[in-house]
Amino acid sequence: MKKIIANLNKAFDNKVRLGIMSMLMVNEWVDFKTLKEMLELTDGRLASHVKALEESEYLEIRKQFIGKRPNTSYKATTLGRKAFSDHLDALEALLRLKG
Amino acid sequence: MKKIIANLNKAFDNKVRLGIMSMLMVNEWVDFKTLKEMLELTDGRLASHVKALEESEYLEIRKQFIGKRPNTSYKATTLGRKAFSDHLDALEALLRLKG
DNA sequence: TAATTCACTTTGAATTTCAAAGTACTTTAC
DNA sequence: GTAAAGTACTTTGAAATTCAAAGTGAATTA
């Protein structure tokens, strides 16, 4: 009857990071602009959170040019997917106290 | 295709508060000591988070004596249940991007 | 009478979060 | 040809959050 909240990952206690990871669970690569628009964020706020996730090695970055314009995309790493999935399991377990 | 994370409630981005609310969704009244043990928290940490939830009017407090010992219990208010439930719906919606 | 229980409050430091502004380079519009 | 807009940041600094640790006070059991 222990470890009720211990398995919740601190990396995902923030809305923005939850949102980013959710998007990246569905779509392989999502670019900066799309994330920014979908999650309704400022540049700085998004940049800081992808940076945090990158430092945890939960996502990887690809920089390229589309035409002449820079384009930066993000993808969840295997580690990131695992961590997020574990977090969701922990959340579910928490709520399964209900049943 | 908007409001992906806007409906997530800031009050529940913290593990401890998630844990407290989860317990209170299942059990009408839960006392301080039980919460503390179940969630493996220090007195101060638990006290600060129940205080925050109380200030949001998400839970109510009942103080009584059991025998000669003080006993403090908490219960989710209707507002709290609604807020938590909405938060979970928002979480679900977020993850339903998947399907 | 000393230690323990219960439920806190206070303090202070560390961490986190965020808006705002700045950077740098490119491209499109006028 | 210059001004505005696009892309993807970084920096700065202030505010908010989080937490451990220690203190409080009243009662109780050893």
Side-chain angles (χ1 to χ4, degrees), chain A residues 44-76:
Chain A
R45 195 171 166 197
L46 176 55
S48 67
H49 287 292
V50 294
K51 193 180 169 196
L53 289 170
E54 197 207 352
E55 279 164 5
S56 302
E57 294 179 59
Y58 287 171
L59 51 83
E60 63 173 293
I61 300 187
R62 179 186 66 192
K63 281 164 194 284
Q64 60 183 359
F65 280 84
I66 291 182
K68 296 285 179 56
R69 291 172 176 289
N71 181 269
T72 304
S73 291
Y74 306 92
K75 177 189 167 184

Side-chain angles (χ1 to χ4, degrees), chain A residues 10 13-14 16-17 42-45 48-49 67-69:
Chain A
K10 205 137 210 281
D13 64 2
N14 173 285
V16 175
R17 291 197 298 271
T42 57
D43 285 14
R45 195 171 166 197
S48 67
H49 287 292
K68 296 285 179 56
R69 291 172 176 289

Side-chain angles (χ1 to χ4, degrees), chain B residues 14 17 45 49 68-69:
Chain B
N14 174 283
R17 290 196 297 271
R45 196 171 168 198
H49 288 291
K68 295 287 180 58
R69 291 173 175 289

Side-chain angles (χ1 to χ4, degrees), chain B residues 2-4 15 18 20-22 30 37 39 44 52 58 73 83 89 96 98:
Chain B
K2 285 296 172 63
K3 303 294 167 211
I4 293 181
K15 276 179 172 214
L18 265 182
I20 294 169
M21 289 306 294
S22 295
V30 182
E37 286 172 359
L39 303 175
Y58 288 171
S73 291
D89 289 348
R96 223 179 313 107
K98 260 188 241 199

Side-chain angles (χ1 to χ4, degrees), chain A residues 18 22 26 84 88 91, chain B residues 90-99:
Chain A
L18 266 182
S22 295
V26 195
F84 193 61
L88 297 184
L91 257 184
Chain B
L91 256 183
E92 252 193 72
L94 187 75
L95 299 169
R96 223 179 313 107
L97 292 173
K98 260 188 241 199

Side-chain angles (χ1 to χ4, degrees), chain A residues 12 21 56-59 76-85:
Chain A
F12 307 127
M21 290 306 293
S56 302
E57 294 179 59
Y58 287 171
L59 51 83
T77 60
T78 303
L79 184 67
R81 288 180 167 274
K82 175 72 165 49
F84 193 61
S85 177

